[in-house]
Amino acid sequence: MENLPNIQQNNVRSYLNREDIILETIAQIMKDFGLFGVEIQYSGSIDDAYEKLLVQLVSQIDELMHTNSDLLMSILYQVDISQRDIDRTQADFPQYNQVEVVAHQIIFRDLKKVLFRRYFSSK
């Protein structure tokens, strides 16, 4: 029996090592942003998936912070990210600026959704 995924802030990259998980996580992120008319594009390449996603999300989040913070808050609500989550991630990743922290948290939450969906669908 497969164990429940033990995903933590500091081991996200280790879970993004399988093409199927990467593609499902990207699809989930695209879906979450797409619900609000924000397009996330992905090249289809799975090499350095975390870094590529982070760059793409940082760009979108930075723009939303400056042009439509209400829309950004709606996206964060959809992804299920609280201010407490952001604060905790900031403490775990002091080298990240605020936009990078939010981008990382989105990847983390949507990856977690994918892994838990896979775990429970296999039961």
Side-chain angles (χ1 to χ4, degrees), residues 6-18 21-22 25 29 49-51 53-54 89 93 96 103-112 115:
N6 183 23
I7 183 169
Q8 303 292 322
Q9 291 292 349
N10 59 1
N11 69 358
V12 170
R13 281 184 180 93
S14 67
Y15 281 94
L16 287 174
N17 61 354
R18 288 183 29 201
I21 292 174
I22 292 167
T25 303
I29 291 169
Y50 174 83
E51 287 76 13
L53 268 175
L54 192 69
T89 302
F93 294 90
Y96 281 8
H104 171 83
Q105 189 64 35
I106 290 168
I107 295 169
F108 173 76
R109 293 294 299 171
D110 278 347
L111 172 61
K112 195 172 187 177
L115 293 173

Short mmCIF file of all heavy atoms in Angstrom, two decimals, residues 6-18 21-22 25 29 49-51 53-54 89 93 96 103-112 115:
data_model
loop_
_atom_site.label_atom_id
_atom_site.label_comp_id
_atom_site.label_asym_id
_atom_site.label_seq_id
_atom_site.Cartn_x
_atom_site.Cartn_y
_atom_site.Cartn_z
N ASN A 6 4.21 12.80 1.74
CA ASN A 6 4.70 13.66 2.81
C ASN A 6 5.37 14.87 2.19
O ASN A 6 6.58 15.05 2.27
CB ASN A 6 5.68 12.90 3.71
CG ASN A 6 6.15 13.75 4.86
OD1 ASN A 6 5.49 14.70 5.26
ND2 ASN A 6 7.31 13.42 5.40
N ILE A 7 4.57 15.69 1.54
CA ILE A 7 5.12 16.86 0.86
C ILE A 7 5.29 18.01 1.87
O ILE A 7 4.38 18.31 2.63
CB ILE A 7 4.26 17.28 -0.35
CG1 ILE A 7 4.89 18.46 -1.07
CG2 ILE A 7 2.83 17.53 0.04
CD1 ILE A 7 4.27 18.77 -2.40
N GLN A 8 6.47 18.58 1.85
CA GLN A 8 6.80 19.70 2.72
C GLN A 8 7.31 20.84 1.84
O GLN A 8 7.66 20.63 0.68
CB GLN A 8 7.90 19.30 3.72
CG GLN A 8 7.55 18.11 4.59
CD GLN A 8 6.43 18.40 5.56
OE1 GLN A 8 6.35 19.48 6.12
NE2 GLN A 8 5.55 17.43 5.74
N GLN A 9 7.39 22.03 2.42
CA GLN A 9 7.87 23.19 1.66
C GLN A 9 9.24 22.94 1.02
O GLN A 9 9.50 23.37 -0.09
CB GLN A 9 7.96 24.42 2.57
CG GLN A 9 6.64 24.95 3.03
CD GLN A 9 5.83 25.55 1.90
OE1 GLN A 9 6.29 25.77 0.79
NE2 GLN A 9 4.57 25.81 2.19
N ASN A 10 10.10 22.22 1.73
CA ASN A 10 11.48 22.06 1.27
C ASN A 10 11.72 20.84 0.39
O ASN A 10 12.84 20.58 -0.01
CB ASN A 10 12.43 22.04 2.47
CG ASN A 10 12.11 20.89 3.43
OD1 ASN A 10 11.20 20.10 3.20
ND2 ASN A 10 12.86 20.83 4.51
N ASN A 11 10.67 20.06 0.06
CA ASN A 11 10.90 18.90 -0.80
C ASN A 11 10.02 18.90 -2.05
O ASN A 11 9.84 17.87 -2.68
CB ASN A 11 10.74 17.59 -0.02
CG ASN A 11 9.31 17.30 0.42
OD1 ASN A 11 8.41 18.09 0.18
ND2 ASN A 11 9.12 16.18 1.07
N VAL A 12 9.50 20.06 -2.42
CA VAL A 12 8.64 20.18 -3.60
C VAL A 12 9.36 19.68 -4.85
O VAL A 12 8.79 18.92 -5.63
CB VAL A 12 8.18 21.65 -3.79
CG1 VAL A 12 7.49 21.85 -5.12
CG2 VAL A 12 7.25 22.05 -2.65
N ARG A 13 10.61 20.11 -5.05
CA ARG A 13 11.34 19.72 -6.26
C ARG A 13 11.44 18.21 -6.40
O ARG A 13 11.40 17.68 -7.49
CB ARG A 13 12.74 20.33 -6.25
CG ARG A 13 12.78 21.78 -6.66
CD ARG A 13 14.23 22.28 -6.74
NE ARG A 13 14.30 23.66 -7.11
CZ ARG A 13 14.36 24.67 -6.25
NH1 ARG A 13 14.32 24.45 -4.96
NH2 ARG A 13 14.44 25.90 -6.69
N SER A 14 11.58 17.50 -5.28
CA SER A 14 11.76 16.05 -5.34
C SER A 14 10.49 15.36 -5.85
O SER A 14 10.57 14.26 -6.40
CB SER A 14 12.16 15.49 -3.98
OG SER A 14 11.10 15.63 -3.06
N TYR A 15 9.34 16.00 -5.70
CA TYR A 15 8.10 15.41 -6.22
C TYR A 15 7.87 15.76 -7.69
O TYR A 15 7.09 15.12 -8.38
CB TYR A 15 6.89 15.86 -5.39
CG TYR A 15 6.76 15.10 -4.10
CD1 TYR A 15 7.31 15.58 -2.92
CD2 TYR A 15 6.10 13.87 -4.06
CE1 TYR A 15 7.19 14.87 -1.74
CE2 TYR A 15 5.99 13.16 -2.88
CZ TYR A 15 6.53 13.66 -1.73
OH TYR A 15 6.43 12.96 -0.56
N LEU A 16 8.55 16.81 -8.14
CA LEU A 16 8.40 17.22 -9.54
C LEU A 16 9.47 16.54 -10.40
O LEU A 16 10.19 17.17 -11.16
CB LEU A 16 8.49 18.74 -9.67
CG LEU A 16 7.28 19.51 -9.16
CD1 LEU A 16 7.53 21.00 -9.19
CD2 LEU A 16 6.03 19.17 -9.96
N ASN A 17 9.57 15.22 -10.24
CA ASN A 17 10.58 14.47 -10.99
C ASN A 17 9.96 13.44 -11.94
O ASN A 17 10.67 12.70 -12.57
CB ASN A 17 11.55 13.78 -10.02
CG ASN A 17 10.83 12.78 -9.11
OD1 ASN A 17 9.62 12.68 -9.12
ND2 ASN A 17 11.60 12.07 -8.32
N ARG A 18 8.64 13.41 -11.99
CA ARG A 18 7.93 12.50 -12.89
C ARG A 18 7.08 13.30 -13.86
O ARG A 18 6.34 14.19 -13.43
CB ARG A 18 7.05 11.53 -12.11
CG ARG A 18 7.85 10.49 -11.38
CD ARG A 18 7.02 9.47 -10.65
NE ARG A 18 5.71 9.21 -11.22
CZ ARG A 18 4.70 8.67 -10.54
NH1 ARG A 18 4.86 8.35 -9.27
NH2 ARG A 18 3.53 8.47 -11.11
N ILE A 21 3.28 13.66 -13.03
CA ILE A 21 3.00 14.55 -11.90
C ILE A 21 3.23 16.01 -12.30
O ILE A 21 2.44 16.89 -11.95
CB ILE A 21 3.84 14.17 -10.66
CG1 ILE A 21 3.38 12.80 -10.14
CG2 ILE A 21 3.75 15.23 -9.58
CD1 ILE A 21 4.20 12.24 -9.02
N ILE A 22 4.30 16.25 -13.04
CA ILE A 22 4.59 17.61 -13.51
C ILE A 22 3.43 18.12 -14.36
O ILE A 22 2.93 19.22 -14.15
CB ILE A 22 5.91 17.65 -14.31
CG1 ILE A 22 7.10 17.37 -13.40
CG2 ILE A 22 6.08 18.98 -15.03
CD1 ILE A 22 8.39 17.09 -14.15
N THR A 25 0.30 18.82 -12.35
CA THR A 25 0.46 20.02 -11.53
C THR A 25 0.32 21.27 -12.39
O THR A 25 -0.36 22.23 -12.01
CB THR A 25 1.80 20.00 -10.78
OG1 THR A 25 1.87 18.81 -9.98
CG2 THR A 25 1.97 21.22 -9.89
N ILE A 29 -2.53 24.24 -12.09
CA ILE A 29 -2.19 25.67 -11.98
C ILE A 29 -2.88 26.44 -13.10
O ILE A 29 -3.47 27.50 -12.87
CB ILE A 29 -0.66 25.88 -12.00
CG1 ILE A 29 -0.05 25.33 -10.70
CG2 ILE A 29 -0.32 27.36 -12.19
CD1 ILE A 29 1.47 25.25 -10.71
N ALA A 49 11.27 21.86 -14.43
CA ALA A 49 9.86 22.24 -14.35
C ALA A 49 9.59 23.24 -13.23
O ALA A 49 8.88 24.23 -13.43
CB ALA A 49 8.98 21.01 -14.18
N TYR A 50 10.16 22.98 -12.05
CA TYR A 50 9.90 23.88 -10.92
C TYR A 50 10.37 25.30 -11.25
O TYR A 50 9.63 26.27 -11.07
CB TYR A 50 10.60 23.37 -9.66
CG TYR A 50 10.50 24.33 -8.50
CD1 TYR A 50 9.36 24.36 -7.70
CD2 TYR A 50 11.51 25.24 -8.24
CE1 TYR A 50 9.25 25.27 -6.66
CE2 TYR A 50 11.41 26.14 -7.20
CZ TYR A 50 10.28 26.16 -6.41
OH TYR A 50 10.16 27.06 -5.38
N GLU A 51 11.59 25.42 -11.74
CA GLU A 51 12.15 26.74 -12.03
C GLU A 51 11.35 27.46 -13.11
O GLU A 51 11.07 28.66 -13.01
CB GLU A 51 13.62 26.63 -12.45
CG GLU A 51 14.57 26.31 -11.31
CD GLU A 51 14.54 24.84 -10.85
OE1 GLU A 51 13.97 23.99 -11.57
OE2 GLU A 51 15.06 24.56 -9.76
N LEU A 53 8.18 26.98 -13.95
CA LEU A 53 6.88 27.36 -13.38
C LEU A 53 7.02 28.57 -12.47
O LEU A 53 6.21 29.49 -12.51
CB LEU A 53 6.30 26.21 -12.56
CG LEU A 53 5.37 25.25 -13.27
CD1 LEU A 53 4.99 24.10 -12.33
CD2 LEU A 53 4.14 25.94 -13.79
N LEU A 54 8.07 28.56 -11.65
CA LEU A 54 8.30 29.67 -10.73
C LEU A 54 8.45 30.98 -11.49
O LEU A 54 7.81 31.99 -11.15
CB LEU A 54 9.53 29.40 -9.86
CG LEU A 54 9.72 30.32 -8.67
CD1 LEU A 54 8.65 30.07 -7.61
CD2 LEU A 54 11.09 30.13 -8.05
N THR A 89 5.87 30.22 4.62
CA THR A 89 6.77 29.96 3.49
C THR A 89 7.89 30.99 3.45
O THR A 89 9.04 30.65 3.16
CB THR A 89 5.99 29.96 2.16
OG1 THR A 89 4.96 28.97 2.25
CG2 THR A 89 6.89 29.64 0.99
N PHE A 93 11.84 30.17 3.35
CA PHE A 93 12.62 30.57 2.19
C PHE A 93 13.00 32.05 2.28
O PHE A 93 12.51 32.87 1.50
CB PHE A 93 11.84 30.31 0.89
CG PHE A 93 11.60 28.86 0.60
CD1 PHE A 93 10.47 28.22 1.08
CD2 PHE A 93 12.52 28.12 -0.12
CE1 PHE A 93 10.24 26.87 0.83
CE2 PHE A 93 12.31 26.78 -0.37
CZ PHE A 93 11.17 26.15 0.10
N TYR A 96 13.82 34.14 -0.84
CA TYR A 96 12.79 34.50 -1.82
C TYR A 96 12.15 35.83 -1.44
O TYR A 96 11.90 36.10 -0.27
CB TYR A 96 11.67 33.45 -1.83
CG TYR A 96 11.96 32.18 -2.59
CD1 TYR A 96 13.21 31.89 -3.12
CD2 TYR A 96 10.95 31.25 -2.79
CE1 TYR A 96 13.45 30.73 -3.81
CE2 TYR A 96 11.18 30.06 -3.49
CZ TYR A 96 12.43 29.82 -4.00
OH TYR A 96 12.65 28.66 -4.70
N ALA A 103 4.49 32.53 -5.47
CA ALA A 103 4.61 31.60 -6.60
C ALA A 103 4.95 30.19 -6.11
O ALA A 103 4.37 29.20 -6.55
CB ALA A 103 5.67 32.10 -7.58
N HIS A 104 5.90 30.10 -5.19
CA HIS A 104 6.28 28.80 -4.63
C HIS A 104 5.07 28.17 -3.94
O HIS A 104 4.81 26.97 -4.09
CB HIS A 104 7.44 28.93 -3.64
CG HIS A 104 7.71 27.67 -2.89
ND1 HIS A 104 8.48 26.66 -3.43
CD2 HIS A 104 7.28 27.22 -1.69
CE1 HIS A 104 8.52 25.65 -2.56
NE2 HIS A 104 7.80 25.97 -1.50
N GLN A 105 4.34 28.96 -3.19
CA GLN A 105 3.18 28.45 -2.45
C GLN A 105 2.12 27.91 -3.40
O GLN A 105 1.49 26.89 -3.12
CB GLN A 105 2.62 29.53 -1.53
CG GLN A 105 1.58 29.04 -0.57
CD GLN A 105 2.11 28.03 0.43
OE1 GLN A 105 3.25 28.11 0.87
NE2 GLN A 105 1.30 27.07 0.80
N ILE A 106 1.92 28.56 -4.53
CA ILE A 106 0.95 28.08 -5.53
C ILE A 106 1.40 26.73 -6.08
O ILE A 106 0.60 25.79 -6.17
CB ILE A 106 0.77 29.11 -6.66
CG1 ILE A 106 0.02 30.33 -6.12
CG2 ILE A 106 0.04 28.49 -7.85
CD1 ILE A 106 0.01 31.53 -7.04
N ILE A 107 2.67 26.61 -6.43
CA ILE A 107 3.19 25.32 -6.92
C ILE A 107 3.01 24.26 -5.84
O ILE A 107 2.54 23.15 -6.11
CB ILE A 107 4.67 25.44 -7.34
CG1 ILE A 107 4.82 26.38 -8.54
CG2 ILE A 107 5.25 24.05 -7.66
CD1 ILE A 107 6.25 26.77 -8.86
N PHE A 108 3.37 24.58 -4.62
CA PHE A 108 3.27 23.65 -3.50
C PHE A 108 1.83 23.17 -3.31
O PHE A 108 1.58 21.97 -3.22
CB PHE A 108 3.79 24.34 -2.23
CG PHE A 108 3.58 23.56 -0.97
CD1 PHE A 108 4.39 22.48 -0.67
CD2 PHE A 108 2.59 23.92 -0.06
CE1 PHE A 108 4.21 21.75 0.51
CE2 PHE A 108 2.40 23.20 1.11
CZ PHE A 108 3.21 22.12 1.39
N ARG A 109 0.88 24.09 -3.26
CA ARG A 109 -0.52 23.73 -3.01
C ARG A 109 -1.10 22.89 -4.15
O ARG A 109 -1.81 21.92 -3.91
CB ARG A 109 -1.38 24.97 -2.79
CG ARG A 109 -1.07 25.73 -1.53
CD ARG A 109 -1.39 24.98 -0.28
NE ARG A 109 -2.82 24.68 -0.22
CZ ARG A 109 -3.37 23.89 0.68
NH1 ARG A 109 -2.64 23.29 1.58
NH2 ARG A 109 -4.67 23.68 0.67
N ASP A 110 -0.81 23.29 -5.39
CA ASP A 110 -1.38 22.54 -6.50
C ASP A 110 -0.70 21.18 -6.67
O ASP A 110 -1.36 20.20 -7.02
CB ASP A 110 -1.35 23.36 -7.79
CG ASP A 110 -2.53 24.33 -7.87
OD1 ASP A 110 -3.48 24.19 -7.07
OD2 ASP A 110 -2.52 25.23 -8.72
N LEU A 111 0.58 21.09 -6.38
CA LEU A 111 1.25 19.79 -6.38
C LEU A 111 0.64 18.90 -5.30
O LEU A 111 0.38 17.71 -5.53
CB LEU A 111 2.76 19.96 -6.15
CG LEU A 111 3.57 18.69 -5.94
CD1 LEU A 111 3.50 17.77 -7.15
CD2 LEU A 111 5.02 19.05 -5.62
N LYS A 112 0.39 19.48 -4.16
CA LYS A 112 -0.22 18.73 -3.05
C LYS A 112 -1.60 18.21 -3.45
O LYS A 112 -1.94 17.06 -3.17
CB LYS A 112 -0.30 19.64 -1.83
CG LYS A 112 -0.57 18.94 -0.53
CD LYS A 112 -0.42 19.94 0.61
CE LYS A 112 -0.50 19.26 1.95
NZ LYS A 112 -0.29 20.19 3.04
N LEU A 115 -1.05 15.22 -5.78
CA LEU A 115 -0.57 14.02 -5.09
C LEU A 115 -1.66 13.40 -4.23
O LEU A 115 -1.81 12.17 -4.20
CB LEU A 115 0.66 14.36 -4.24
CG LEU A 115 1.91 14.75 -5.01
CD1 LEU A 115 3.00 15.21 -4.06
CD2 LEU A 115 2.41 13.61 -5.88
#
